[in-house]
Amino acid sequence: MARGLPKKKPIKGVKQIVLVASGKGGVGKSTTSVNLATALKLLEPQKQVGLLDADVFGPSIPLMMNLNESPILNEENLMEPLINYGVKCMSMGFLIDKKSPVIWRGLMVMSALDKLLRQVAWGPLDYLIVDTPPGTGDTHLSLIQNIPITGALLVTTPQKASLDVTRRGAIMFKKLEVPIIGILENMSSITCPKCDNNISIFGHDIDKLAEELDIPILRKIPLYEEITESSNSGKPLVLSVSKNQYSDIYTELAKDIIVFLTKQPINTN
Ligand code: ADP
Protein backbone atom coordinates (compact mmCIF):
# COMPACT_ATOMS: atom_id res chain seq x y z
CA MET A 1 0.00 0.00 0.00
CA ALA A 2 1.41 3.44 -0.93
CA ARG A 3 1.67 6.26 1.60
CA GLY A 4 1.30 10.01 1.12
CA LEU A 5 -1.10 12.36 -0.61
CA PRO A 6 -3.56 11.02 -3.20
CA LYS A 7 -2.27 11.23 -6.78
CA LYS A 8 -3.53 14.16 -8.83
CA LYS A 9 -6.12 13.07 -11.35
CA PRO A 10 -6.66 15.16 -14.49
CA ILE A 11 -10.18 16.15 -15.50
CA LYS A 12 -11.18 14.03 -18.46
CA GLY A 13 -10.87 15.94 -21.72
CA VAL A 14 -9.42 19.11 -20.14
CA LYS A 15 -5.97 20.01 -21.47
CA GLN A 16 -4.85 22.92 -19.28
CA ILE A 17 -6.15 24.56 -16.11
CA VAL A 18 -5.52 28.13 -14.94
CA LEU A 19 -6.46 29.28 -11.44
CA VAL A 20 -7.38 32.93 -10.96
CA ALA A 21 -6.66 33.80 -7.34
CA SER A 22 -6.65 36.75 -4.99
CA GLY A 23 -5.89 37.33 -1.32
CA LYS A 24 -8.95 39.45 -0.69
CA GLY A 25 -12.48 39.57 -2.07
CA GLY A 26 -13.71 42.45 -4.18
CA VAL A 27 -10.41 43.07 -5.94
CA GLY A 28 -11.69 42.03 -9.37
CA LYS A 29 -10.89 38.31 -9.56
CA SER A 30 -14.23 37.28 -11.09
CA THR A 31 -14.21 40.25 -13.46
CA THR A 32 -10.76 39.16 -14.59
CA SER A 33 -11.84 35.52 -14.95
CA VAL A 34 -14.83 36.29 -17.20
CA ASN A 35 -12.90 38.73 -19.37
CA LEU A 36 -9.95 36.36 -19.62
CA ALA A 37 -12.11 33.36 -20.60
CA THR A 38 -14.05 35.40 -23.16
CA ALA A 39 -10.90 37.01 -24.58
CA LEU A 40 -9.28 33.58 -24.97
CA LYS A 41 -12.31 32.42 -26.97
CA LEU A 42 -12.22 35.58 -29.12
CA LEU A 43 -8.50 35.21 -29.80
CA GLU A 44 -8.66 31.48 -30.56
CA PRO A 45 -12.22 30.69 -31.70
CA GLN A 46 -11.19 27.16 -32.74
CA LYS A 47 -10.30 26.33 -29.12
CA GLN A 48 -12.72 25.28 -26.39
CA VAL A 49 -12.72 27.43 -23.26
CA GLY A 50 -14.37 26.68 -19.91
CA LEU A 51 -14.99 28.79 -16.83
CA LEU A 52 -15.50 27.20 -13.43
CA ASP A 53 -16.78 29.34 -10.59
CA ALA A 54 -15.15 27.66 -7.58
CA ASP A 55 -16.46 30.29 -5.19
CA VAL A 56 -19.16 28.17 -3.60
CA PHE A 57 -20.19 30.82 -1.04
CA GLY A 58 -20.22 33.84 -3.34
CA PRO A 59 -20.69 32.80 -6.97
CA SER A 60 -20.46 35.74 -9.41
CA ILE A 61 -20.27 33.95 -12.76
CA PRO A 62 -24.07 33.60 -13.24
CA LEU A 63 -24.42 37.41 -13.08
CA MET A 64 -21.27 38.26 -15.03
CA MET A 65 -21.91 35.73 -17.82
CA ASN A 66 -25.68 36.29 -17.84
CA LEU A 67 -26.51 32.63 -17.22
CA ASN A 68 -29.35 31.52 -14.99
CA GLU A 69 -30.80 28.19 -16.08
CA SER A 70 -30.29 24.90 -14.26
CA PRO A 71 -27.86 22.55 -16.01
CA ILE A 72 -29.29 19.38 -17.58
CA LEU A 73 -27.87 15.89 -17.14
CA ASN A 74 -26.54 13.95 -20.14
CA GLU A 75 -26.81 10.16 -20.70
CA GLU A 76 -23.67 9.62 -18.63
CA ASN A 77 -25.35 11.44 -15.75
CA LEU A 78 -22.93 14.38 -16.05
CA MET A 79 -24.11 17.99 -15.87
CA GLU A 80 -23.84 19.89 -19.13
CA PRO A 81 -22.13 23.26 -18.63
CA LEU A 82 -24.16 26.33 -19.58
CA ILE A 83 -22.70 28.21 -22.55
CA ASN A 84 -22.58 31.94 -23.25
CA TYR A 85 -20.26 33.90 -25.55
CA GLY A 86 -18.81 30.52 -26.60
CA VAL A 87 -17.53 29.77 -23.07
CA LYS A 88 -18.68 26.66 -21.16
CA CYS A 89 -19.55 27.70 -17.60
CA MET A 90 -20.36 25.95 -14.34
CA SER A 91 -21.15 27.53 -10.99
CA MET A 92 -22.74 26.60 -7.69
CA GLY A 93 -25.00 29.56 -8.48
CA PHE A 94 -26.69 27.43 -11.22
CA LEU A 95 -27.54 24.73 -8.70
CA ILE A 96 -28.86 26.59 -5.68
CA ASP A 97 -31.63 29.08 -5.08
CA LYS A 98 -30.32 32.61 -5.77
CA LYS A 99 -31.52 34.11 -2.52
CA SER A 100 -30.52 31.34 -0.10
CA PRO A 101 -27.11 31.53 1.53
CA VAL A 102 -24.87 28.46 1.40
CA ILE A 103 -24.28 27.49 5.05
CA TRP A 104 -21.89 24.59 4.79
CA ARG A 105 -18.95 23.12 6.62
CA GLY A 106 -15.64 22.60 4.84
CA LEU A 107 -16.34 18.96 3.97
CA MET A 108 -19.55 19.84 2.15
CA VAL A 109 -17.72 22.50 0.19
CA MET A 110 -15.09 19.96 -0.84
CA SER A 111 -17.73 17.54 -1.97
CA ALA A 112 -19.49 20.30 -4.00
CA LEU A 113 -16.19 21.31 -5.57
CA ASP A 114 -15.49 17.71 -6.53
CA LYS A 115 -18.88 17.56 -8.27
CA LEU A 116 -18.20 20.81 -10.14
CA LEU A 117 -14.92 19.34 -11.37
CA ARG A 118 -15.75 15.68 -12.02
CA GLN A 119 -19.49 15.49 -12.58
CA VAL A 120 -19.62 18.07 -15.33
CA ALA A 121 -19.25 17.22 -19.03
CA TRP A 122 -16.32 19.63 -19.42
CA GLY A 123 -14.46 17.91 -22.24
CA PRO A 124 -13.23 18.61 -24.77
CA LEU A 125 -11.63 21.76 -23.37
CA ASP A 126 -8.35 23.42 -24.26
CA TYR A 127 -8.41 25.83 -21.35
CA LEU A 128 -10.33 25.73 -18.07
CA ILE A 129 -10.23 29.01 -16.15
CA VAL A 130 -11.05 28.54 -12.46
CA ASP A 131 -12.31 31.54 -10.50
CA THR A 132 -11.26 30.63 -6.94
CA PRO A 133 -12.59 32.13 -3.69
CA PRO A 134 -10.47 34.80 -2.00
CA GLY A 135 -7.71 33.73 0.38
CA THR A 136 -5.67 30.57 0.76
CA GLY A 137 -8.15 28.08 2.13
CA ASP A 138 -9.61 24.62 1.69
CA THR A 139 -10.73 25.20 -1.90
CA HIS A 140 -7.22 26.05 -3.11
CA LEU A 141 -5.63 23.16 -1.26
CA SER A 142 -8.22 20.75 -2.56
CA LEU A 143 -7.84 21.96 -6.15
CA ILE A 144 -4.05 21.84 -6.03
CA GLN A 145 -3.93 18.41 -4.40
CA ASN A 146 -6.50 16.80 -6.68
CA ILE A 147 -6.01 18.16 -10.18
CA PRO A 148 -2.93 19.16 -12.17
CA ILE A 149 -2.89 22.99 -12.27
CA THR A 150 -1.05 24.50 -15.23
CA GLY A 151 -0.61 27.92 -13.66
CA ALA A 152 -2.04 30.55 -11.33
CA LEU A 153 -2.80 34.18 -12.08
CA LEU A 154 -2.78 36.48 -9.04
CA VAL A 155 -5.18 39.42 -9.04
CA THR A 156 -4.60 42.25 -6.60
CA THR A 157 -5.29 45.90 -6.02
CA PRO A 158 -2.16 47.89 -5.20
CA GLN A 159 -2.82 48.99 -1.60
CA LYS A 160 -0.75 47.45 1.18
CA ALA A 161 -3.62 45.52 2.82
CA SER A 162 -4.30 43.69 -0.42
CA LEU A 163 -0.63 43.17 -1.28
CA ASP A 164 0.12 41.55 2.09
CA VAL A 165 -2.41 38.79 1.46
CA THR A 166 -1.29 38.47 -2.15
CA ARG A 167 2.19 37.67 -0.80
CA ARG A 168 0.68 34.86 1.28
CA GLY A 169 -1.09 33.47 -1.77
CA ALA A 170 2.08 33.59 -3.82
CA ILE A 171 4.01 31.77 -1.10
CA MET A 172 1.31 29.09 -0.92
CA PHE A 173 1.47 28.46 -4.68
CA LYS A 174 5.27 28.34 -4.58
CA LYS A 175 5.26 25.88 -1.66
CA LEU A 176 2.77 23.64 -3.43
CA GLU A 177 4.74 23.88 -6.68
CA VAL A 178 2.03 25.57 -8.73
CA PRO A 179 3.64 27.76 -11.42
CA ILE A 180 2.66 31.43 -10.99
CA ILE A 181 1.95 33.05 -14.35
CA GLY A 182 2.10 36.59 -12.98
CA ILE A 183 0.20 39.38 -11.30
CA LEU A 184 -2.68 41.43 -12.66
CA GLU A 185 -2.82 44.77 -10.89
CA ASN A 186 -6.46 45.80 -10.85
CA MET A 187 -7.84 49.24 -9.99
CA SER A 188 -4.27 50.47 -10.42
CA SER A 189 -5.25 54.07 -11.14
CA ILE A 190 -8.14 56.30 -12.08
CA THR A 191 -8.32 58.86 -14.85
CA CYS A 192 -9.50 62.26 -13.64
CA PRO A 193 -12.62 63.12 -15.66
CA LYS A 194 -11.71 66.84 -15.52
CA CYS A 195 -8.01 66.94 -16.37
CA ASP A 196 -7.48 63.44 -17.85
CA ASN A 197 -4.54 62.84 -15.51
CA ASN A 198 -3.93 59.33 -14.18
CA ILE A 199 -4.06 59.19 -10.39
CA SER A 200 -2.66 56.15 -8.54
CA ILE A 201 -4.85 56.36 -5.47
CA PHE A 202 -3.59 53.09 -3.97
CA GLY A 203 0.16 53.71 -4.37
CA HIS A 204 2.97 51.80 -6.06
CA ASP A 205 3.99 49.17 -3.51
CA ILE A 206 3.18 46.40 -5.96
CA ASP A 207 6.41 46.90 -7.87
CA LYS A 208 8.39 46.09 -4.72
CA LEU A 209 6.27 42.98 -4.07
CA ALA A 210 6.71 41.70 -7.61
CA GLU A 211 10.46 42.14 -7.30
CA GLU A 212 10.58 40.49 -3.87
CA LEU A 213 8.62 37.46 -5.09
CA ASP A 214 10.25 37.43 -8.50
CA ILE A 215 6.87 37.36 -10.26
CA PRO A 216 6.10 39.51 -13.32
CA ILE A 217 3.33 42.13 -13.26
CA LEU A 218 1.57 41.16 -16.48
CA ARG A 219 -0.90 44.03 -16.86
CA LYS A 220 -2.35 46.98 -14.97
CA ILE A 221 -6.06 47.74 -15.24
CA PRO A 222 -7.41 51.12 -14.06
CA LEU A 223 -10.61 51.69 -12.15
CA TYR A 224 -13.09 52.30 -14.92
CA GLU A 225 -16.85 52.71 -14.74
CA GLU A 226 -17.60 50.63 -17.83
CA ILE A 227 -15.94 47.60 -16.21
CA THR A 228 -18.46 47.66 -13.37
CA GLU A 229 -21.31 48.25 -15.81
CA SER A 230 -20.24 45.34 -18.01
CA SER A 231 -20.07 42.98 -14.98
CA ASN A 232 -23.51 44.10 -13.83
CA SER A 233 -25.03 43.68 -17.28
CA GLY A 234 -23.65 40.18 -17.80
CA LYS A 235 -21.56 41.04 -20.86
CA PRO A 236 -17.78 41.03 -20.32
CA LEU A 237 -16.03 44.25 -21.35
CA VAL A 238 -13.97 42.49 -24.05
CA LEU A 239 -17.26 41.98 -25.94
CA SER A 240 -18.29 45.63 -25.86
CA VAL A 241 -18.79 47.05 -29.33
CA SER A 242 -16.83 50.15 -28.51
CA LYS A 243 -13.37 48.57 -28.27
CA ASN A 244 -11.28 50.74 -26.00
CA GLN A 245 -7.94 50.84 -24.24
CA TYR A 246 -9.41 49.06 -21.22
CA SER A 247 -10.84 46.06 -23.04
CA ASP A 248 -7.54 45.88 -24.94
CA ILE A 249 -5.72 45.31 -21.64
CA TYR A 250 -7.79 42.15 -21.04
CA THR A 251 -7.00 40.99 -24.57
CA GLU A 252 -3.29 41.57 -23.98
CA LEU A 253 -3.59 39.66 -20.69
CA ALA A 254 -5.16 36.72 -22.55
CA LYS A 255 -2.25 36.80 -25.01
CA ASP A 256 0.21 36.69 -22.07
CA ILE A 257 -1.62 33.64 -20.73
CA ILE A 258 -1.51 31.91 -24.13
CA VAL A 259 2.25 32.50 -24.34
CA PHE A 260 2.64 30.93 -20.89
CA LEU A 261 0.37 27.96 -21.68
CA THR A 262 2.11 27.07 -24.94
CA LYS A 263 5.24 26.28 -22.90
CA GLN A 264 3.39 24.08 -20.36
CA PRO A 265 2.42 20.39 -20.38
CA ILE A 266 -0.93 19.35 -21.84
CA ASN A 267 -3.20 16.67 -20.40
CA THR A 268 -4.17 14.16 -23.09
CA ASN A 269 -6.54 11.98 -21.01
P1 ADP B 1 -13.74 39.52 -6.65
O1 ADP B 1 -14.02 38.39 -7.60
O2 ADP B 1 -12.28 39.72 -6.42
O3 ADP B 1 -14.54 39.45 -5.38
P2 ADP B 1 -15.22 41.15 -8.54
O4 ADP B 1 -14.61 40.76 -9.83
O5 ADP B 1 -16.55 40.55 -8.18
O6 ADP B 1 -14.18 40.91 -7.36
O7 ADP B 1 -15.29 42.74 -8.53
C1 ADP B 1 -15.94 43.45 -7.50
C2 ADP B 1 -16.69 44.63 -8.13
O8 ADP B 1 -15.75 45.56 -8.64
C3 ADP B 1 -17.58 44.23 -9.30
O9 ADP B 1 -18.74 44.98 -9.27
C4 ADP B 1 -16.76 44.59 -10.54
O10 ADP B 1 -17.55 44.93 -11.62
C5 ADP B 1 -15.99 45.81 -10.03
N1 ADP B 1 -14.67 45.97 -10.68
C6 ADP B 1 -13.67 45.06 -10.75
N2 ADP B 1 -12.61 45.58 -11.40
C7 ADP B 1 -12.94 46.85 -11.75
C8 ADP B 1 -12.26 47.92 -12.42
N3 ADP B 1 -11.04 47.79 -12.87
N4 ADP B 1 -12.96 49.08 -12.62
C9 ADP B 1 -14.22 49.23 -12.17
N5 ADP B 1 -14.90 48.28 -11.52
C10 ADP B 1 -14.28 47.10 -11.29
Side-chain angles (χ1 to χ4, degrees), residues 22 24-32 55 60 64 131-132 134 155 186-188 221-232 250:
S22 72
K24 280 192 181 292
V27 299
K29 178 180 42 57
S30 300
T31 310
T32 305
D55 195 344
S60 305
M64 293 187 181
D131 180 15
T132 62
V155 180
N186 193 29
M187 309 183 189
S188 64
I221 299 190
L223 199 57
Y224 177 57
E225 201 179 1
E226 234 184 89
I227 297 182
T228 322
E229 283 165 11
S230 67
S231 303
N232 290 348
Y250 286 119

Side-chain angles (χ1 to χ4, degrees), residues 2 13 16 26 35 42 49 77 88 109 122 124 141 165 172 209 227 245 250 259 268:
Q16 293 184 305
N35 279 288
L42 285 174
V49 181
N77 223 16
K88 294 185 192 176
V109 178
W122 282 117
L141 266 184
V165 279
M172 171 189 72
L209 179 73
I227 297 182
Q245 50 179 317
Y250 286 119
V259 169
T268 49

Side-chain angles (χ1 to χ4, degrees), residues 121-141:
W122 282 117
L125 270 194
D126 293 282
Y127 311 129
L128 177 62
I129 307 300
V130 184
D131 180 15
T132 62
T136 52
D138 282 352
T139 301
H140 300 85
L141 266 184

